[in-house]
Amino acid sequence: MRTTVGIIGGGPAGLLLARLLHRTGIDCVVLESRARSYVERRQRAGMLEQGTVDALRESGAGTRLGVEGMVHHGIELRFERERHRIDFPSLTGGRMVTIYAQTEIVKDLVALQLADGPPLLFGARALAVEKAESEAPVVRFVHEGRELTLTCDYVVGCDGSHGIARDAFPADVSRTYAHDYPYSWLGVLAEVPPSCEELVYARGPGGFALHSMRSPSLSRLYLQVPNGTVGDDWPDDRIWDELAARFAIDADWRLERGPITAKGVTPMRSLVHEPMRYGRLFLAGDAAHIVPPTGAKGLNLAVSDVRVLARGLAELYRTGSPELLDAYSDLCLDRVWQATRFSYDMTRMLHAQPDGDAFDHQVQLARLRRITASRSAAAELAANYTGLPLTV
């Protein structure tokens, strides 16, 4: 097989890149190791920055998002049994965020790709990227029991943190920076309308809790738990009781309870791989960086990566100039490190530290009080949360 851009991974990053390239006349092939049914039911984050919403609309995938997406104008911070709202538009010049499940984004992009886009192969497991430094890199993959090759002008690894694309970077050019957090998130999906209109980030007596939503009838909630926690060790009643305790405020509000339909534990980790390009192989999304979900940056960083990459490839094939494409790694990493810093700060501020003492607790409260009492501090949080401008 031969194509211009070979894309490894059929998640949001790979699918969106394919759509953006297709709309500029650049042909590509998407290789996704899983079956379509698995990809379309995989549960992931769903908080979209304005830039992500703009990119989905630009790709043609904004129709259902415009109808079903829930626009949020702020978030709420809770600590010491008080609630404090951070109003995004007044602090950012009008920027907002949208709640729309990643599962639905994937469904929208898959439907578009299969209807009129370049090839999307499910069950196509990439084995290796070869000749990345040449003018014709090759992806070896297995599809329908046969080992095949895909020869490309460029290869993009959108295959996540456990994919094979990053392995093609020579050890002497790779640098990896990682940080493991001493706690995890126990996340649940519940068939109950959200108990709040916007996301609630709480620093309660037992640690961190987050109240989010997937739709007007589905709530998504998270609890800070020790590393090594097994979800089945937490019965539903225990989860609801602990959530209620961490969200508790001295006001007329209560947490609505309902059937829990999904449960899982997510370890918290930060990781950045540098560079994000080697030869004609590029990394995007989780293949290059991972952030803890506290700042809601994972999906949004992946989208900003492929927006830069799509523009760089379009400029190259339209004008012959490789300038933007050559700047891809530096441009993306600057944004990645800012998002990594923000996610780290949010995580450290809101989570109880297992080895912390009274001093650590008071410093965390001081940070929260500063944000809720200072317009400039609140504006800094709002600017990062809604997404820093993409300057390309």
Side-chain angles (χ1 to χ4, degrees):
M1 296 178 65
R2 182 72 169 84
T3 191
T4 302
V5 180
I7 301 172
I8 307 172
L15 292 169
L16 178 59
L17 177 60
R19 295 304 305 168
L20 294 174
L21 293 177
H22 176 63
R23 292 171 76 86
T24 58
I26 299 173
D27 66 289
C28 61
V29 174
V30 182
L31 306 176
E32 167 53 47
S33 63
R34 302 283 195 166
R36 179 180 180 180
S37 58
Y38 178 90
V39 171
E40 290 188 337
R41 68 171 183 266
R42 189 164 42 188
Q43 293 292 329
R44 293 291 188 272
M47 197 290 291
L48 311 183
E49 298 173 357
Q50 185 60 57
T52 298
V53 172
D54 295 341
L56 290 168
R57 288 174 176 159
E58 179 186 346
S59 75
T63 303
R64 201 157 63 95
L65 166 62
V67 175
E68 300 178 16
M70 296 179 287
V71 176
H72 284 196
H73 297 81
I75 59 172
E76 186 177 298
L77 300 178
R78 291 190 182 185
F79 58 97
E80 295 193 303
R81 301 184 67 87
E82 296 179 352
R83 64 202 308 178
H84 304 267
R85 185 172 181 272
I86 307 297
D87 183 80
F88 292 154
S90 66
L91 295 165
T92 64
R95 295 177 70 83
M96 299 166 286
V97 298
T98 300
I99 303 299
Y100 188 65
Q102 181 171 314
T103 308
E104 306 309 313
I105 294 173
V106 169
K107 290 177 183 177
D108 296 341
L109 290 170
V110 165
L112 286 170
Q113 191 77 358
L114 295 179
D116 68 354
L120 165 56
L121 303 182
F122 290 104
R125 181 169 59 90
L127 302 175
V129 178
E130 299 174 346
K131 303 178 183 178
E133 72 285 359
S134 75
E135 294 185 357
V138 174
V139 181
R140 287 195 299 109
F141 67 101
V142 174
H143 186 237
E144 296 180 342
R146 295 187 301 151
E147 183 169 326
L148 304 169
T149 59
L150 177 64
T151 303
C152 322
D153 289 351
Y154 296 94
V155 176
V156 184
C158 301
D159 51 345
S161 59
H162 301 294
I164 58 91
R166 198 164 65 202
D167 295 338
F169 280 62
D172 61 345
V173 304
S174 296
R175 300 179 300 277
T176 301
Y177 305 89
H179 176 75
D180 293 311
Y181 296 83
Y183 31 73
S184 300
W185 276 13
L186 171 61
V188 300
L189 191 67
E191 291 183 347
V192 60
S195 303
C196 50
E197 296 182 356
E198 297 173 331
L199 273 65
V200 176
Y201 288 77
R203 173 66 161 84
F208 172 76
L210 171 62
H211 190 310
S212 183
M213 60 281 293
R214 286 292 176 265
S215 74
S217 60
L218 287 175
S219 294
R220 186 72 163 152
L221 305 109
Y222 300 91
L223 280 171
Q224 174 188 348
V225 293
N227 285 340
T229 294
V230 177
D232 290 342
D233 292 341
W234 280 71
D236 292 2
D237 285 344
R238 181 187 178 191
I239 292 173
W240 286 118
D241 289 345
E242 188 61 28
L243 285 167
R246 297 188 191 184
F247 288 125
I249 53 175
D250 293 326
D252 184 18
W253 180 91
R254 69 186 182 91
L255 179 68
E256 298 294 336
R257 304 185 181 208
I260 291 176
T261 59
K263 188 186 302 182
V265 177
T266 303
M268 306 285 280
R269 192 177 196 218
S270 294
L271 181 145
V272 179
H273 179 277
E274 296 184 358
M276 291 174 59
R277 177 185 183 177
Y278 170 67
R280 294 200 170 195
L281 169 62
F282 297 83
L283 301 179
D286 286 358
H289 41 74
I290 302 168
V291 290
T294 324
K297 293 295 147 206
L299 170 62
N300 295 293
L301 276 180
V303 169
S304 64
D305 288 348
V306 300
R307 290 180 81 189
V308 174
L309 187 53
R311 292 176 187 179
L313 288 164
E315 181 179 278
L316 174 68
Y317 285 102
R318 185 180 68 253
T319 70
S321 171
E323 183 177 357
L324 180 54
L325 198 61
D326 288 344
Y328 170 76
S329 186
D330 289 340
L331 287 171
C332 289
L333 282 170
D334 182 64
R335 188 180 182 87
V336 165
W337 276 114
Q338 288 300 322
T340 299
R341 172 201 57 78
F342 174 67
S343 299
Y344 176 85
D345 289 346
M346 285 281 285
T347 302
R348 289 284 300 180
M349 177 175 68
L350 290 162
H351 289 70
Q353 303 305 312
D355 58 351
D357 54 20
F359 176 85
D360 296 304
H361 176 67
Q362 290 300 323
V363 169
Q364 288 175 304
L365 291 179
R367 289 174 177 161
L368 287 164
R369 292 190 190 106
R370 173 65 179 169
I371 290 170
T372 56
S374 164
R375 180 178 176 82
S376 61
E380 174 68 12
L381 185 152
N384 282 273
Y385 196 95
T386 58
L388 299 176
L390 187 63
T391 55
V392 294

PDB file of all heavy atoms in Angstrom, residues 122-148:
ATOM      1  N   PHE A 122      -9.938  -0.938  10.497  1.00  0.00           N
ATOM      2  CA  PHE A 122     -10.052  -1.454  11.852  1.00  0.00           C
ATOM      3  C   PHE A 122      -9.381  -2.831  11.920  1.00  0.00           C
ATOM      4  O   PHE A 122      -9.292  -3.550  10.917  1.00  0.00           O
ATOM      5  CB  PHE A 122     -11.513  -1.554  12.275  1.00  0.00           C
ATOM      6  CG  PHE A 122     -12.169  -0.220  12.483  1.00  0.00           C
ATOM      7  CD1 PHE A 122     -13.063   0.294  11.537  1.00  0.00           C
ATOM      8  CD2 PHE A 122     -11.890   0.527  13.617  1.00  0.00           C
ATOM      9  CE1 PHE A 122     -13.669   1.528  11.729  1.00  0.00           C
ATOM     10  CE2 PHE A 122     -12.482   1.769  13.810  1.00  0.00           C
ATOM     11  CZ  PHE A 122     -13.371   2.261  12.861  1.00  0.00           C
ATOM     12  N   GLY A 123      -8.927  -3.193  13.111  1.00  0.00           N
ATOM     13  CA  GLY A 123      -8.243  -4.474  13.270  1.00  0.00           C
ATOM     14  C   GLY A 123      -6.911  -4.510  12.553  1.00  0.00           C
ATOM     15  O   GLY A 123      -6.425  -5.595  12.198  1.00  0.00           O
ATOM     16  N   ALA A 124      -6.308  -3.347  12.331  1.00  0.00           N
ATOM     17  CA  ALA A 124      -5.009  -3.245  11.657  1.00  0.00           C
ATOM     18  C   ALA A 124      -3.958  -2.901  12.711  1.00  0.00           C
ATOM     19  O   ALA A 124      -3.832  -1.745  13.111  1.00  0.00           O
ATOM     20  CB  ALA A 124      -5.051  -2.195  10.556  1.00  0.00           C
ATOM     21  N   ARG A 125      -3.231  -3.893  13.156  1.00  0.00           N
ATOM     22  CA  ARG A 125      -2.280  -3.727  14.268  1.00  0.00           C
ATOM     23  C   ARG A 125      -0.899  -3.384  13.732  1.00  0.00           C
ATOM     24  O   ARG A 125      -0.275  -4.189  13.047  1.00  0.00           O
ATOM     25  CB  ARG A 125      -2.237  -4.995  15.110  1.00  0.00           C
ATOM     26  CG  ARG A 125      -1.290  -4.924  16.313  1.00  0.00           C
ATOM     27  CD  ARG A 125      -1.505  -6.119  17.230  1.00  0.00           C
ATOM     28  NE  ARG A 125      -1.289  -7.384  16.536  1.00  0.00           N
ATOM     29  CZ  ARG A 125      -0.118  -8.010  16.455  1.00  0.00           C
ATOM     30  NH1 ARG A 125       0.974  -7.470  17.000  1.00  0.00           N
ATOM     31  NH2 ARG A 125      -0.019  -9.170  15.822  1.00  0.00           N
ATOM     32  N   ALA A 126      -0.442  -2.177  14.039  1.00  0.00           N
ATOM     33  CA  ALA A 126       0.889  -1.753  13.604  1.00  0.00           C
ATOM     34  C   ALA A 126       1.956  -2.510  14.370  1.00  0.00           C
ATOM     35  O   ALA A 126       1.876  -2.667  15.597  1.00  0.00           O
ATOM     36  CB  ALA A 126       1.054  -0.255  13.789  1.00  0.00           C
ATOM     37  N   LEU A 127       2.965  -2.975  13.658  1.00  0.00           N
ATOM     38  CA  LEU A 127       4.060  -3.725  14.268  1.00  0.00           C
ATOM     39  C   LEU A 127       5.307  -2.870  14.456  1.00  0.00           C
ATOM     40  O   LEU A 127       5.999  -2.995  15.457  1.00  0.00           O
ATOM     41  CB  LEU A 127       4.412  -4.942  13.402  1.00  0.00           C
ATOM     42  CG  LEU A 127       3.283  -5.931  13.126  1.00  0.00           C
ATOM     43  CD1 LEU A 127       3.770  -7.015  12.160  1.00  0.00           C
ATOM     44  CD2 LEU A 127       2.806  -6.559  14.430  1.00  0.00           C
ATOM     45  N   ALA A 128       5.596  -2.026  13.494  1.00  0.00           N
ATOM     46  CA  ALA A 128       6.813  -1.207  13.565  1.00  0.00           C
ATOM     47  C   ALA A 128       6.774  -0.118  12.510  1.00  0.00           C
ATOM     48  O   ALA A 128       6.089  -0.235  11.488  1.00  0.00           O
ATOM     49  CB  ALA A 128       8.053  -2.080  13.354  1.00  0.00           C
ATOM     50  N   VAL A 129       7.505   0.954  12.797  1.00  0.00           N
ATOM     51  CA  VAL A 129       7.776   2.002  11.807  1.00  0.00           C
ATOM     52  C   VAL A 129       9.234   1.859  11.413  1.00  0.00           C
ATOM     53  O   VAL A 129      10.122   1.874  12.271  1.00  0.00           O
ATOM     54  CB  VAL A 129       7.508   3.407  12.367  1.00  0.00           C
ATOM     55  CG1 VAL A 129       7.842   4.461  11.308  1.00  0.00           C
ATOM     56  CG2 VAL A 129       6.069   3.537  12.824  1.00  0.00           C
ATOM     57  N   GLU A 130       9.481   1.732  10.124  1.00  0.00           N
ATOM     58  CA  GLU A 130      10.842   1.535   9.627  1.00  0.00           C
ATOM     59  C   GLU A 130      11.226   2.658   8.677  1.00  0.00           C
ATOM     60  O   GLU A 130      10.364   3.289   8.049  1.00  0.00           O
ATOM     61  CB  GLU A 130      10.948   0.179   8.915  1.00  0.00           C
ATOM     62  CG  GLU A 130      10.635  -0.997   9.842  1.00  0.00           C
ATOM     63  CD  GLU A 130      10.588  -2.326   9.117  1.00  0.00           C
ATOM     64  OE1 GLU A 130      10.528  -2.307   7.857  1.00  0.00           O
ATOM     65  OE2 GLU A 130      10.587  -3.375   9.779  1.00  0.00           O
ATOM     66  N   LYS A 131      12.518   2.921   8.590  1.00  0.00           N
ATOM     67  CA  LYS A 131      13.076   3.940   7.680  1.00  0.00           C
ATOM     68  C   LYS A 131      12.486   5.326   7.962  1.00  0.00           C
ATOM     69  O   LYS A 131      12.212   6.093   7.032  1.00  0.00           O
ATOM     70  CB  LYS A 131      12.827   3.559   6.223  1.00  0.00           C
ATOM     71  CG  LYS A 131      13.376   2.202   5.830  1.00  0.00           C
ATOM     72  CD  LYS A 131      13.044   1.887   4.377  1.00  0.00           C
ATOM     73  CE  LYS A 131      13.515   0.506   3.975  1.00  0.00           C
ATOM     74  NZ  LYS A 131      13.132   0.185   2.565  1.00  0.00           N
ATOM     75  N   ALA A 132      12.284   5.643   9.250  1.00  0.00           N
ATOM     76  CA  ALA A 132      11.670   6.931   9.605  1.00  0.00           C
ATOM     77  C   ALA A 132      12.504   8.111   9.143  1.00  0.00           C
ATOM     78  O   ALA A 132      11.959   9.195   8.893  1.00  0.00           O
ATOM     79  CB  ALA A 132      11.452   7.008  11.115  1.00  0.00           C
ATOM     80  N   GLU A 133      13.808   7.925   9.013  1.00  0.00           N
ATOM     81  CA  GLU A 133      14.679   9.024   8.616  1.00  0.00           C
ATOM     82  C   GLU A 133      14.784   9.161   7.092  1.00  0.00           C
ATOM     83  O   GLU A 133      15.427  10.094   6.598  1.00  0.00           O
ATOM     84  CB  GLU A 133      16.068   8.822   9.223  1.00  0.00           C
ATOM     85  CG  GLU A 133      16.892   7.702   8.603  1.00  0.00           C
ATOM     86  CD  GLU A 133      16.450   6.284   9.006  1.00  0.00           C
ATOM     87  OE1 GLU A 133      15.496   6.153   9.802  1.00  0.00           O
ATOM     88  OE2 GLU A 133      17.066   5.326   8.517  1.00  0.00           O
ATOM     89  N   SER A 134      14.139   8.255   6.353  1.00  0.00           N
ATOM     90  CA  SER A 134      14.215   8.285   4.890  1.00  0.00           C
ATOM     91  C   SER A 134      13.077   9.111   4.308  1.00  0.00           C
ATOM     92  O   SER A 134      12.214   9.614   5.034  1.00  0.00           O
ATOM     93  CB  SER A 134      14.159   6.862   4.336  1.00  0.00           C
ATOM     94  OG  SER A 134      12.825   6.352   4.418  1.00  0.00           O
ATOM     95  N   GLU A 135      13.041   9.229   2.974  1.00  0.00           N
ATOM     96  CA  GLU A 135      11.965   9.945   2.299  1.00  0.00           C
ATOM     97  C   GLU A 135      10.735   9.073   2.087  1.00  0.00           C
ATOM     98  O   GLU A 135       9.714   9.569   1.598  1.00  0.00           O
ATOM     99  CB  GLU A 135      12.462  10.494   0.952  1.00  0.00           C
ATOM    100  CG  GLU A 135      13.525  11.571   1.091  1.00  0.00           C
ATOM    101  CD  GLU A 135      13.908  12.186  -0.246  1.00  0.00           C
ATOM    102  OE1 GLU A 135      13.376  11.723  -1.280  1.00  0.00           O
ATOM    103  OE2 GLU A 135      14.720  13.129  -0.249  1.00  0.00           O
ATOM    104  N   ALA A 136      10.829   7.793   2.450  1.00  0.00           N
ATOM    105  CA  ALA A 136       9.694   6.886   2.267  1.00  0.00           C
ATOM    106  C   ALA A 136       9.588   5.928   3.459  1.00  0.00           C
ATOM    107  O   ALA A 136       9.862   4.735   3.339  1.00  0.00           O
ATOM    108  CB  ALA A 136       9.827   6.110   0.960  1.00  0.00           C
ATOM    109  N   PRO A 137       9.206   6.446   4.635  1.00  0.00           N
ATOM    110  CA  PRO A 137       9.068   5.564   5.802  1.00  0.00           C
ATOM    111  C   PRO A 137       7.979   4.518   5.559  1.00  0.00           C
ATOM    112  O   PRO A 137       7.056   4.720   4.762  1.00  0.00           O
ATOM    113  CB  PRO A 137       8.684   6.527   6.924  1.00  0.00           C
ATOM    114  CG  PRO A 137       8.133   7.732   6.233  1.00  0.00           C
ATOM    115  CD  PRO A 137       8.859   7.839   4.937  1.00  0.00           C
ATOM    116  N   VAL A 138       8.108   3.419   6.283  1.00  0.00           N
ATOM    117  CA  VAL A 138       7.214   2.273   6.093  1.00  0.00           C
ATOM    118  C   VAL A 138       6.614   1.861   7.435  1.00  0.00           C
ATOM    119  O   VAL A 138       7.316   1.818   8.451  1.00  0.00           O
ATOM    120  CB  VAL A 138       7.984   1.078   5.481  1.00  0.00           C
ATOM    121  CG1 VAL A 138       7.100  -0.164   5.431  1.00  0.00           C
ATOM    122  CG2 VAL A 138       8.485   1.433   4.083  1.00  0.00           C
ATOM    123  N   VAL A 139       5.325   1.565   7.425  1.00  0.00           N
ATOM    124  CA  VAL A 139       4.659   1.000   8.597  1.00  0.00           C
ATOM    125  C   VAL A 139       4.341  -0.459   8.287  1.00  0.00           C
ATOM    126  O   VAL A 139       3.648  -0.753   7.305  1.00  0.00           O
ATOM    127  CB  VAL A 139       3.351   1.746   8.931  1.00  0.00           C
ATOM    128  CG1 VAL A 139       2.709   1.140  10.178  1.00  0.00           C
ATOM    129  CG2 VAL A 139       3.599   3.229   9.114  1.00  0.00           C
ATOM    130  N   ARG A 140       4.867  -1.369   9.085  1.00  0.00           N
ATOM    131  CA  ARG A 140       4.496  -2.778   8.976  1.00  0.00           C
ATOM    132  C   ARG A 140       3.298  -3.030   9.888  1.00  0.00           C
ATOM    133  O   ARG A 140       3.300  -2.616  11.051  1.00  0.00           O
ATOM    134  CB  ARG A 140       5.646  -3.686   9.364  1.00  0.00           C
ATOM    135  CG  ARG A 140       6.767  -3.744   8.339  1.00  0.00           C
ATOM    136  CD  ARG A 140       7.713  -4.916   8.565  1.00  0.00           C
ATOM    137  NE  ARG A 140       8.384  -4.848   9.861  1.00  0.00           N
ATOM    138  CZ  ARG A 140       8.124  -5.649  10.880  1.00  0.00           C
ATOM    139  NH1 ARG A 140       7.162  -6.574  10.801  1.00  0.00           N
ATOM    140  NH2 ARG A 140       8.796  -5.528  12.019  1.00  0.00           N
ATOM    141  N   PHE A 141       2.278  -3.726   9.373  1.00  0.00           N
ATOM    142  CA  PHE A 141       1.093  -3.978  10.178  1.00  0.00           C
ATOM    143  C   PHE A 141       0.431  -5.287   9.764  1.00  0.00           C
ATOM    144  O   PHE A 141       0.701  -5.830   8.681  1.00  0.00           O
ATOM    145  CB  PHE A 141       0.094  -2.819  10.052  1.00  0.00           C
ATOM    146  CG  PHE A 141      -0.528  -2.651   8.689  1.00  0.00           C
ATOM    147  CD1 PHE A 141      -1.821  -3.109   8.432  1.00  0.00           C
ATOM    148  CD2 PHE A 141       0.170  -2.015   7.656  1.00  0.00           C
ATOM    149  CE1 PHE A 141      -2.400  -2.949   7.174  1.00  0.00           C
ATOM    150  CE2 PHE A 141      -0.410  -1.842   6.405  1.00  0.00           C
ATOM    151  CZ  PHE A 141      -1.706  -2.308   6.164  1.00  0.00           C
ATOM    152  N   VAL A 142      -0.422  -5.785  10.637  1.00  0.00           N
ATOM    153  CA  VAL A 142      -1.169  -7.015  10.381  1.00  0.00           C
ATOM    154  C   VAL A 142      -2.639  -6.665  10.247  1.00  0.00           C
ATOM    155  O   VAL A 142      -3.204  -5.965  11.101  1.00  0.00           O
ATOM    156  CB  VAL A 142      -0.976  -8.036  11.522  1.00  0.00           C
ATOM    157  CG1 VAL A 142      -1.877  -9.252  11.314  1.00  0.00           C
ATOM    158  CG2 VAL A 142       0.476  -8.463  11.611  1.00  0.00           C
ATOM    159  N   HIS A 143      -3.256  -7.150   9.168  1.00  0.00           N
ATOM    160  CA  HIS A 143      -4.678  -6.893   8.940  1.00  0.00           C
ATOM    161  C   HIS A 143      -5.306  -8.127   8.305  1.00  0.00           C
ATOM    162  O   HIS A 143      -4.809  -8.645   7.303  1.00  0.00           O
ATOM    163  CB  HIS A 143      -4.872  -5.687   8.021  1.00  0.00           C
ATOM    164  CG  HIS A 143      -6.295  -5.274   7.854  1.00  0.00           C
ATOM    165  ND1 HIS A 143      -6.913  -5.202   6.618  1.00  0.00           N
ATOM    166  CD2 HIS A 143      -7.242  -4.926   8.762  1.00  0.00           C
ATOM    167  CE1 HIS A 143      -8.162  -4.814   6.764  1.00  0.00           C
ATOM    168  NE2 HIS A 143      -8.386  -4.633   8.062  1.00  0.00           N
ATOM    169  N   GLU A 144      -6.368  -8.616   8.927  1.00  0.00           N
ATOM    170  CA  GLU A 144      -7.092  -9.794   8.458  1.00  0.00           C
ATOM    171  C   GLU A 144      -6.155 -10.977   8.260  1.00  0.00           C
ATOM    172  O   GLU A 144      -6.232 -11.723   7.275  1.00  0.00           O
ATOM    173  CB  GLU A 144      -7.842  -9.473   7.162  1.00  0.00           C
ATOM    174  CG  GLU A 144      -8.925  -8.418   7.353  1.00  0.00           C
ATOM    175  CD  GLU A 144      -9.673  -8.092   6.071  1.00  0.00           C
ATOM    176  OE1 GLU A 144      -9.143  -8.414   4.977  1.00  0.00           O
ATOM    177  OE2 GLU A 144     -10.764  -7.515   6.166  1.00  0.00           O
ATOM    178  N   GLY A 145      -5.230 -11.140   9.226  1.00  0.00           N
ATOM    179  CA  GLY A 145      -4.342 -12.293   9.239  1.00  0.00           C
ATOM    180  C   GLY A 145      -3.130 -12.192   8.344  1.00  0.00           C
ATOM    181  O   GLY A 145      -2.313 -13.123   8.294  1.00  0.00           O
ATOM    182  N   ARG A 146      -2.963 -11.079   7.633  1.00  0.00           N
ATOM    183  CA  ARG A 146      -1.822 -10.930   6.734  1.00  0.00           C
ATOM    184  C   ARG A 146      -0.921  -9.790   7.190  1.00  0.00           C
ATOM    185  O   ARG A 146      -1.416  -8.753   7.635  1.00  0.00           O
ATOM    186  CB  ARG A 146      -2.285 -10.651   5.304  1.00  0.00           C
ATOM    187  CG  ARG A 146      -3.069 -11.786   4.650  1.00  0.00           C
ATOM    188  CD  ARG A 146      -3.328 -11.454   3.180  1.00  0.00           C
ATOM    189  NE  ARG A 146      -4.080 -10.214   3.039  1.00  0.00           N
ATOM    190  CZ  ARG A 146      -3.990  -9.399   1.997  1.00  0.00           C
ATOM    191  NH1 ARG A 146      -3.131  -9.659   1.022  1.00  0.00           N
ATOM    192  NH2 ARG A 146      -4.734  -8.304   1.925  1.00  0.00           N
ATOM    193  N   GLU A 147       0.379  -9.977   7.072  1.00  0.00           N
ATOM    194  CA  GLU A 147       1.313  -8.889   7.359  1.00  0.00           C
ATOM    195  C   GLU A 147       1.497  -8.062   6.097  1.00  0.00           C
ATOM    196  O   GLU A 147       1.816  -8.596   5.021  1.00  0.00           O
ATOM    197  CB  GLU A 147       2.649  -9.413   7.849  1.00  0.00           C
ATOM    198  CG  GLU A 147       3.607  -8.284   8.230  1.00  0.00           C
ATOM    199  CD  GLU A 147       4.850  -8.738   8.963  1.00  0.00           C
ATOM    200  OE1 GLU A 147       4.754  -9.710   9.741  1.00  0.00           O
ATOM    201  OE2 GLU A 147       5.913  -8.113   8.749  1.00  0.00           O
ATOM    202  N   LEU A 148       1.275  -6.756   6.212  1.00  0.00           N
ATOM    203  CA  LEU A 148       1.317  -5.841   5.082  1.00  0.00           C
ATOM    204  C   LEU A 148       2.246  -4.679   5.386  1.00  0.00           C
ATOM    205  O   LEU A 148       2.680  -4.487   6.529  1.00  0.00           O
ATOM    206  CB  LEU A 148      -0.093  -5.308   4.785  1.00  0.00           C
ATOM    207  CG  LEU A 148      -1.185  -6.353   4.533  1.00  0.00           C
ATOM    208  CD1 LEU A 148      -2.559  -5.693   4.527  1.00  0.00           C
ATOM    209  CD2 LEU A 148      -0.931  -7.075   3.216  1.00  0.00           C
TER     210      LEU A 148
END
